[in-house]
């Protein structure tokens, strides 16, 4: 299996998995994708059904990853997945599971990992893959990132105790929820440096860019990233679509629909890949909040990225995006893998006029039938009403992001020709966003035992002015 950039029309041989694992963006600015998607037939799905039942989630993950990774021996890949997906980290041996929300909608639990958000599902594997490959190359890596919440903590918990990795994570001082701050700042590990920047999230991102722009510094300190465009993260996410499909179905041609709370298009892109591999997915229901860049594209064919001033702060904050960093991967497939067109859209049109329009193309006309996407969006009022209605119906409390997916599943799932069950993906536990839950239910969310009292633990955090030179000094000091 070789990997190619979405902007590379040269027809070159591509790169093996381990070369793109540590690379991030392709040199031409595109995103890496496999040259083709391995196909799974009914017999494979039947064997995976037995494998999941008898050997568990990590065994299934190793099989799926093995279809895309041929430069790590399969026994090592199995070891990587065994270390990533333990019952201890994910609260139960089965790792992912389903609950019934009633009337054809199921909840796919993906948020029982160390940081109570679905990002653990991919990040735990990424941490193990990085450590494995760095060991093999006898190298080290310094992860420099910026976070407003879930990504940073998932990255820190995944890199914990890994000798070849050190994490510097920037956060906007005083702007994350007390729970999210406590999750990160209570980590006491020499490999994790939490930094509170005197500024907002955009300032943190700008600092990361400024430091990375100094190529000498970047090379000397071996700077890398764990952002959502990393192919290994997407690949790890494909596994849970398969596992949830296996949990939800009895026969190997039963079709289901997935409803996915979307921001950077990472999660649902993994669903798209699972569908391209032949997993019997009927519809991919894409749910956005008020930041509806993606819902607008699937409704109109126009992709229009927003400026900072047009990006709303919402009560599902992990979906507050102005552009969707993984969307280029889907457009590549939508346009029949025409890299020259993708390059024109993403390297020329978007930077110049901040939008492109595919509404008059055959590709867009055939999109629903060929790729199964349907999109909808939610407002704060929808979110609150959905959390309350689902709680009244089933007694289950869902977080605001998950509520965006469940709300769209209830609204569109009834009116369109959409196969059931609909599996709505749970992307965080409600305890992370308790203020919104209290607003919806008039009561506090019960807190899982393992998070009891984390706000009272000593805080490990360095205060930093909004200044790239100061950040470089801190990294250089180790
Ligand atoms: C990251 C995140 C999302 C959005 O996922 P994408 O892969 O960016 O589409 C949704 N909900 C929560 C809780 C998240 O942390």
């Amino acid at each position: 299996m070789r990997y190619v950039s979405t902007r590379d029309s040269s027809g070159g041989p591509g790169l093996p998995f381990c070369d793109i694992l540590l690379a991030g963006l392709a040199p031409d600015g595109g995103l890496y994708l496999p040259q083709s998607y391995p196909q799974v037939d009914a017999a494979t799905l039947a064997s995976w059904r037995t494998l999941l039942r008898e050997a568990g989630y990590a065994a299934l993950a190793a099989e799926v990853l093995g279809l895309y990774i041929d430069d790590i021996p399969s026994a090592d890949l199995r070891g990587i997945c065994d270390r990533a997906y333990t019952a201890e980290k994910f609260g139960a041996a089965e790792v992912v599971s389903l609950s019934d929300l009633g009337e054809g909608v199921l909840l796919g639990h993906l948020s029982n990992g160390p940081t109570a958000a679905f990002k653990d599902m991919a990040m735990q594997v990424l941490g193990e893959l990085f450590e494995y490959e760095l060991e093999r190359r006898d190298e080290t890596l310094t992860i420099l990132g910026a976070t407003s919440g879930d990504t940073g903590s998932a990255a820190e918990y995944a890199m914990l105790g890994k000798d070849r990795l050190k994490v510097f994570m920037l956060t906007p001082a005083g702007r994350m929820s007390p729970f999210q701050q406590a999750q990160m700042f209570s980590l006491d590990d020499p490999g994790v440096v939490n930094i509170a920047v005197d500024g907002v999230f955009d300032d943190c991102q700008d600092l990361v860019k400024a430091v990375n722009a100094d190529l000498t510094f970047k090379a000397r300190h071996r700077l890398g990233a764990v952002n959502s465009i990393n192919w290994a993260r997407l690949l790890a996410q494909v596994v849970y679509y398969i596992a949830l499909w296996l949990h939800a179905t009895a026969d190997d041609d039963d079709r289901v629909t997935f409803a996915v709370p979307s921001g950077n298009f990472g999660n649902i892109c993994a669903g798209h890949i699972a569908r391209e591999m032949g997993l019997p997915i009927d519809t991919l229901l894409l749910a956005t909040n008020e930041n509806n860049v993606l819902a607008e594209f699937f409704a109109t064919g126009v992709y229009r990225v927003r400026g900072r001033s047009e990006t709303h702060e919402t009560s599902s904050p992990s979906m507050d995006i102005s552009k969707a960093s993984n969307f280029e991967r889907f457009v590549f497939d939508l346009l029949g893998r025409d890299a020259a067109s993708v390059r024109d859209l993403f390297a020329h049109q978007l930077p110049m006029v901040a939008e492109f329009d595919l509404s008059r193309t055959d590709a867009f006309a055939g999109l629903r039938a060929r790729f199964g996407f349907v999109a909808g969006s939610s407002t704060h009022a929808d979110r609150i009403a959905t959390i309350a209605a689902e709680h009244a119906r089933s007694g289950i409390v869902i977080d605001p992001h998950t509520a965006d997916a469940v709300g769209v599943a209830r609204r569109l799932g009834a009116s369109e020709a959409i196969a059931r069950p609909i599996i709505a993906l749970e992307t965080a536990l409600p305890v992370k966003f308790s203020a919104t839950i209290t607003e919806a239910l008039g009561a506090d969310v019960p807190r899982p035992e393992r998070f009891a009292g984390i706000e009272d633990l000593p805080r490990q955090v360095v205060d930093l002015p909004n200044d790239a030179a100061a950040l470089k000094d801190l990294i250089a000091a180790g």
Side-chain angles (χ1 to χ4, degrees):
M1 178 61 78
R2 290 290 178 272
Y3 290 85
V4 292
S5 163
T6 49
R7 296 185 192 177
D8 179 7
S9 49
S10 72
L15 293 167
F17 174 81
C18 288
D19 286 357
I20 65 151
L21 170 65
L22 303 167
L25 280 180
D28 59 14
L31 307 183
Y32 287 113
L33 274 177
Q35 270 170 339
S36 62
Y37 299 119
Q39 296 298 300
V40 295
D41 55 15
T44 309
L45 292 174
S47 74
W48 284 352
R49 193 179 290 284
T50 311
L51 182 71
L52 180 62
R53 194 173 53 234
E54 291 176 358
Y57 190 88
L60 175 68
E63 284 293 308
V64 177
L65 265 58
L67 298 176
Y68 288 92
I69 302 174
D70 53 18
D71 47 355
I72 297 178
S74 54
D76 293 357
L77 213 43
R78 179 65 194 269
I80 285 167
C81 293
D82 282 344
R83 290 191 294 279
Y85 295 117
T86 63
E88 193 201 359
K89 283 178 185 162
F90 286 88
E94 61 182 349
V95 180
V96 303
S97 60
L98 291 171
S99 293
D100 193 354
L101 292 178
E103 293 172 37
V105 178
L106 305 172
L107 184 63
H109 295 284
L110 303 176
S111 303
N112 291 314
T115 73
F118 85 109
K119 292 200 168 66
D120 291 324
M121 295 297 301
M123 211 67 94
Q124 286 292 327
V125 177
L126 194 68
E128 297 297 339
L129 283 167
F130 273 13
E131 182 77 350
Y132 176 88
E133 186 58 18
L134 291 169
E135 187 83 42
R136 199 155 68 164
R137 298 181 180 202
D138 194 18
E139 289 175 5
T140 59
L141 192 68
T142 301
I143 305 285
L144 175 62
T147 189
S148 57
D150 298 332
T151 307
S153 53
E156 290 187 352
Y157 280 78
M159 308 302 157
L160 214 55
K162 304 222 166 16
D163 296 340
R164 291 174 179 276
L165 286 153
K166 180 142 187 163
V167 183
F168 290 85
M169 194 58 68
L170 307 183
T171 64
R175 286 175 198 261
M176 291 192 303
S177 77
F179 184 89
Q180 287 179 315
Q181 291 187 35
Q183 258 190 328
M184 292 181 63
F185 300 167
S186 63
L187 280 180
D188 188 2
D189 185 283
V192 172
V193 182
N194 288 306
I195 302 167
V197 174
D198 182 15
V200 296
F201 175 60
D202 285 325
D203 297 322
C204 297
Q205 277 194 312
D206 289 347
L207 282 177
V208 171
K209 277 189 204 143
V211 171
N212 274 299
D214 181 343
L215 296 181
T216 319
F217 185 88
K218 186 178 176 185
R220 180 176 327 129
H221 296 283
R222 318 196 63 85
L223 292 191
V226 289
N227 45 25
S228 74
I229 51 106
N230 186 291
W231 163 255
R233 279 181 64 181
L234 281 192
L235 177 53
Q237 291 178 273
V238 171
V239 180
Y240 60 67
Y241 280 88
I242 298 169
L244 290 174
W245 178 85
L246 289 168
H247 283 306
T249 59
D251 285 319
D252 297 320
D253 52 3
D254 284 353
R255 296 171 78 75
V256 307
T257 290
F258 282 95
V260 188
S262 296
N264 275 320
F265 204 83
N267 195 354
I268 202 161
C269 192
H272 157 69
I273 291 162
R275 193 176 184 276
E276 289 296 295
M277 291 170 73
L279 190 71
I281 297 175
D282 179 77
T283 303
L284 288 164
L285 269 178
L286 180 144
T288 71
N289 62 20
E290 292 88 334
N291 296 294
N292 62 347
V293 194
L294 289 167
E296 186 175 276
F297 171 78
F298 285 100
T300 65
V302 176
Y303 182 63
R304 184 177 66 85
V305 305
R306 317 291 203 242
R308 278 182 193 179
S309 62
E310 265 189 293
T311 308
H312 310 284
E313 269 186 50
T314 76
S315 48
S316 45
S318 299
M319 295 153 62
D320 292 349
I321 51 106
S322 52
K323 59 178 189 301
S325 50
N326 271 293
F327 187 54
E328 182 169 336
R329 287 192 160 107
F330 174 70
V331 173
F332 183 65
D333 285 343
L334 176 66
L335 299 181
R337 304 203 134 206
D338 174 356
S341 295
V342 171
R343 192 170 60 235
D344 180 50
L345 294 177
F346 284 88
H348 302 129
Q349 289 201 41
L350 271 188
M352 259 164 39
V353 293
E355 66 173 65
F356 59 72
D357 180 356
L358 300 182
S359 63
R360 283 177 301 275
T361 63
D362 290 345
F364 184 72
L367 194 161
R368 165 79 174 102
R370 168 69 183 79
F371 294 99
F373 275 84
V374 172
S377 56
S378 302
T379 63
H380 178 72
D382 295 329
R383 215 164 287 137
I384 296 293
T386 302
I387 293 168
E390 297 303 324
H391 180 249
R393 191 194 319 251
S394 65
I396 295 174
V397 182
I398 53 176
D399 106 288
H401 306 79
T402 309
D404 286 337
V406 174
V408 166
R410 295 282 181 212
R411 288 193 296 279
L412 302 183
S415 61
E416 303 241 1
I418 285 174
R420 291 177 171 245
I422 301 176
I423 302 173
L425 298 185
E426 174 202 62
T427 53
L429 293 186
V431 66
K432 286 195 107 164
F433 302 96
S434 56
T436 305
I437 307 300
T438 307
E439 183 183 341
L441 302 181
D444 287 344
V445 219
R447 178 178 286 212
E449 183 76 42
R450 63 199 167 102
F451 299 122
I454 57 168
E455 288 93 338
D456 305 328
L457 294 172
R459 286 160 64 99
Q460 314 289 335
V461 57
V462 183
D463 291 313
L464 197 84
N466 181 7
D467 173 25
L471 177 56
K472 284 187 192 169
D473 287 345
L474 185 69
I475 294 170

